[in-house]
Amino acid sequence: MALKRIILEMGSGNDLHGGDYTKAALRAVQDALHHSSLSFIRTLGLDIKTMQVEVTIGVQRPDKVDIEAVRKSLPYGVVTAKAVKGGLDVPEEGKHDLAVIASAAIAVRFDLP
């Protein structure tokens, strides 16, 4: 048996005011989750608790993302998460406000023959 990726879902999220990288990351994860339905997992008799979920968040300041909050936002599986350089920061001209845009990729793997 080997881990095989069966789902790869993407999402985007933002924090329009305040420059909160974690808020943007959590919104990106929720966006990705809302594009998916995992009904086939039950149909195939797979145990949802054993699925391996890998979350990658892309933001301009990866060190500003609360990875534990991102990890805990996933409802099922054994979840790992990381933040990498990506996304987009959009400063407001003449002001001290920052819009943060995050990207999320969620890969789901199962141990399959």
Side-chain angles (χ1 to χ4, degrees):
M1 303 264 272
L3 281 176
K4 299 197 188 252
R5 185 175 74 191
I6 58 171
I7 296 172
L8 177 61
E9 194 64 65
M10 280 73 62
S12 64
N14 62 67
D15 180 29
L16 292 177
H17 302 285
D20 189 324
Y21 291 88
T22 299
K23 185 184 288 186
L26 291 169
R27 288 177 175 169
V29 167
Q30 289 304 306
D31 182 50
L33 290 177
H34 287 96
H35 293 150
S36 297
S37 174
L38 303 180
S39 59
F40 74 92
I41 292 173
R42 288 185 185 94
T43 302
L44 296 175
L46 300 172
D47 183 358
I48 203 161
K49 294 177 196 152
T50 66
M51 73 179 174
Q52 304 291 310
V53 181
E54 298 171 5
V55 180
T56 304
I57 301 294
V59 291
Q60 285 293 297
R61 300 279 310 272
D63 59 309
K64 298 287 187 183
V65 176
D66 181 347
I67 290 299
E68 187 61 18
V70 170
R71 194 184 68 71
K72 287 183 177 180
S73 72
L74 280 287
Y76 304 109
V78 179
V79 180
T80 58
K82 66 180 177 182
V84 299
K85 181 84 168 172
L88 185 64
D89 284 352
V90 183
E92 187 174 348
E93 287 186 35
K95 299 189 180 177
H96 300 292
D97 203 5
L98 178 67
V100 173
I101 303 171
S103 298
I106 302 175
V108 174
R109 291 182 167 80
F110 270 98
D111 198 7
L112 298 173

